[in-house]
């Protein structure tokens, strides 16, 4: 296959981890007879430094013309970086929100898996983590509070800020369909998370999800309130297969779920539109404190590249080869600092990339 991939190295550790993911993709391309062409674009702080804005029209056009986008991370230290002295619409995060909207990436898939090899890193008690867990958060990504009308005004000398949470039934239906489709390929359970005891948007969410569920009689649907879900994630994470939820709840719950695995440096994510096109990125941030020091864990980005092969290109065999190589490296006892445990060998970002490449060859 000829694959055109737009890369967004971004800020902080982004460039280092994307470089390792490219190395891995190159060896996969060589072994399985594909041709991968990469075009880099700037986004976030890297784009602000050059263009004064976190995302340019041209960058969006380049991304659109590719078959998929592979991203590292964006953003800097919010207390010290000059990027955060800019108005909100010119800060690094605005670039990420902008590209999500411009590419219509409404479905955000965030798997949270407890790797057997890293079970020690899990902060939960053994009696809870012992069963292992493997869930996928399907987060709506282009609606809700993130994209509703907002303003800050002053009324009679009192400052007031307004954000609005809006969903129409079409936005809910399309993400619900994605959630049920993916549940069918997994353990066939969807937990739809909302706050239907308070919010109208959640009541509509629940009604539409139930309508969609009728077309998936083989998939079990349950509803859960978001506060309860936050609790259940630490109490019994093994109960979850697919968690289907709106933008803001998904933002919060996916951080919680990744923390529960104890190894956020391992977690990949995909943001998809209604075609095969997607943007793939690690679930973690740009870690400016360790940037450029060859200390970052590239595995989440490498696994994001694997998700890209699987979801955008249907290259399951190739994706399996990457996933297996990652597991093998862990079994062989290599760890980056963030997942280090006693008796293992500590390696840097580049070496970790090389070790995975060797196991694919
Ligand atoms: C995420 C991040 C973003 C979000 C920020 C950087 C705008 O937290 O991808 O989860 O809130 O969506
Ligand atoms: Mg987040």
């Amino acid at each position: 296959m000829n694959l055109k991939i737009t890369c967004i190295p971004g800020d902080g550790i982004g460039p280092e981890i994307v470089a390792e993911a490219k190395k891995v993709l190159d060896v996969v391309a060589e072994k399985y007879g594909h041709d991968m062409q990469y075009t880099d674009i700037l986004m976030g702080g890297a784009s602000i430094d050059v263009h004064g804005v976190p995302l340019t029209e041209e960058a969006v056009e380049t991304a659109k013309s590719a078959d998929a986008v592979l991203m590292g991370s964006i953003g800097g230290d919010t207390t010290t970086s000059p990027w955060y002295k800019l108005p909100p619409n010119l800060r690094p995060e605005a670039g990420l929100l902008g590209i999500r909207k411009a590419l219509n990436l409404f479905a955000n898939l965030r798997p949270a898996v407890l790797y057997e090899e890293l079970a020690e890193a899990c902060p939960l008690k053994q009696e809870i983590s012992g069963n292992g867990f493997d869930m996928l958060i399907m987060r709506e990504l282009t609606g809700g509070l993130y994209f509703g009308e907002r303003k800050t005004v002053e009324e009679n000398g009192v400052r007031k800020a307004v954000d609005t949470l809006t969903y129409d039934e079409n936005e809910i239906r399309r993400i619900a369909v994605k959630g049920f489709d993916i549940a069918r390929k997994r353990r066939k359970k969807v937990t739809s998370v909302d706050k239907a005891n308070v919010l109208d948007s959640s009541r509509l969410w629940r009604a539409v999800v139930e309508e969609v569920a009728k077309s998936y009689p083989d998939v079990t649907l349950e509803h859960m309130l978001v506060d309860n879900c936050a609790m259940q994630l630490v109490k019994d994470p093994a109960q979850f297969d697919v968690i289907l939820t709106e933008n803001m709840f998904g933002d919060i719950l996916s951080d919680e779920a990744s923390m529960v695995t104890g190894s956020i440096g391992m977690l990949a994510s995909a943001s998809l539109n209604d075609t095969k096109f997607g943007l793939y990125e690690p679930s973690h941030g740009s870690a400016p404190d360790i940037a450029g020091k060859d200390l970052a864990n590239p595995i989440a980005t490498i696994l994001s590249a694997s998700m890209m092969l699987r979801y955008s290109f249907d290259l399951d065999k190739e994706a399996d080869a990457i996933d297996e190589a990652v597991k093998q490296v862990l079994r062989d006892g290599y760890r980056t600092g963030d997942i280090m445990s006693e008796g293992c060998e500590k390696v840097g970002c580049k070496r970790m990339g090389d070790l995975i490449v060797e196991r694919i060859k």
Side-chain angles (χ1 to χ4, degrees):
M1 265 176 114
N2 278 334
L3 308 173
K4 275 166 62 187
I5 300 163
T6 293
C7 294
I8 308 177
D11 308 320
I13 57 172
E16 311 163 51
I17 54 183
V18 168
E20 296 315 303
K22 280 187 189 167
K23 259 178 10 195
V24 169
L25 283 173
D26 284 340
V27 70
V28 167
E30 198 183 302
K31 178 162 176 183
Y32 295 91
H34 304 295
D35 180 44
M36 314 229 184
Q37 280 175 31
Y38 310 103
T39 312
D40 284 3
I41 59 172
L42 296 176
M43 195 169 96
S47 175
I48 296 173
D49 290 346
V50 176
H51 301 294
V53 291
L55 181 68
T56 61
E57 264 315 306
E58 297 79 70
V60 170
E61 287 313 312
T62 306
K64 274 187 184 162
S65 69
D67 299 312
V69 180
L70 180 66
M71 183 184 137
S73 50
I74 55 119
D77 186 321
T78 50
T79 50
T80 57
S81 163
W83 300 328
Y84 295 92
K85 300 221 158 53
L86 297 166
N89 62 332
L90 291 177
R91 292 180 195 167
E93 286 71 13
L96 182 57
L97 298 182
I99 203 163
R100 286 175 181 168
K101 198 69 175 178
L103 303 177
N104 194 26
L105 304 171
F106 65 86
N108 184 211
L109 287 63
R110 298 190 164 182
V113 183
L114 183 67
Y115 279 84
E116 220 176 282
E117 297 81 4
L118 301 177
E120 271 177 47
C122 175
L124 301 177
K125 284 191 194 142
Q126 156 72 19
E127 61 200 74
I128 297 174
S129 65
N131 300 331
F133 53 86
D134 175 357
M135 70 185 101
L136 184 139
I137 300 190
M138 178 66 79
R139 168 188 176 194
E140 201 290 327
L141 201 60
T142 52
L145 275 174
Y146 277 65
F147 293 94
E149 261 175 62
R150 70 176 97 257
K151 63 178 177 185
T152 306
V153 292
E154 198 168 309
E155 282 172 4
N156 305 323
V158 179
R159 285 173 300 159
K160 180 170 128 182
V162 183
D163 295 285
T164 41
L165 203 181
T166 313
Y167 273 108
D168 70 34
E169 59 178 309
N170 297 325
E171 291 174 297
I172 301 170
R173 194 171 294 111
R174 66 182 183 176
I175 188 74
V177 165
K178 289 264 188 199
F180 280 95
D181 279 346
I182 208 137
R184 239 181 201 165
K185 294 191 183 174
R186 296 172 47 98
R187 299 192 310 281
K188 300 192 169 51
K189 180 177 172 192
V190 169
T191 305
S192 174
V193 173
D194 61 39
K195 189 71 184 170
N197 52 347
V198 179
L199 303 176
D200 261 15
S201 55
S202 283
R203 286 186 274 268
L204 180 63
W205 180 277
R206 206 175 262 220
V208 175
V209 168
E210 282 190 356
E211 285 161 26
V212 172
K214 291 201 179 102
S215 308
Y216 297 83
D218 52 325
V219 177
T220 307
L221 168 67
E222 67 175 18
H223 301 284
M224 193 178 277
L225 296 174
V226 62
D227 46 353
N228 184 29
C229 183
M231 209 167 73
Q232 296 297 330
L233 275 171
V234 288
K235 197 174 158 219
D236 177 21
Q239 71 183 284
F240 295 110
D241 179 15
V242 174
I243 294 179
L244 169 67
T245 193
E246 64 93 50
N247 203 346
M248 184 78 173
F249 298 159
D251 178 45
I252 298 167
L253 294 177
S254 63
D255 265 24
E256 187 188 358
S258 63
M259 196 58 226
V260 162
T261 68
S263 30
I264 184 166
M266 302 287 300
L267 301 178
S269 83
S271 303
L272 309 175
N273 67 13
D274 45 16
T275 69
K276 284 268 169 195
F277 185 88
L279 180 149
Y280 299 83
E281 60 172 313
S283 286
H284 59 71
S286 60
D289 52 321
I290 58 162
K293 296 183 180 157
D294 195 33
L295 291 173
N297 183 353
I299 293 180
T301 318
I302 290 168
L303 293 175
S304 300
S306 156
M307 280 183 99
M308 176 178 78
L309 298 180
R310 199 183 296 283
Y311 291 109
S312 282
F313 305 137
D314 289 317
L315 296 175
D316 284 6
K317 197 166 29 95
E318 290 79 345
D320 288 345
I322 297 179
D323 296 355
E324 189 43 46
V326 166
K327 286 198 187 135
Q328 192 55 48
V329 158
L330 297 177
R331 285 195 287 264
D332 292 342
Y334 297 103
R335 304 281 189 274
T336 43
D338 57 313
I339 51 173
M340 184 60 191
S341 64
E342 233 186 273
C344 292
E345 184 176 338
K346 193 165 163 183
V347 299
C349 181
K350 285 203 186 97
R351 180 87 202 289
M352 182 55 95
D354 290 339
L355 289 164
I356 293 169
V357 164
E358 279 168 22
R359 281 156 185 76
I360 295 173
K361 268 189 180 150

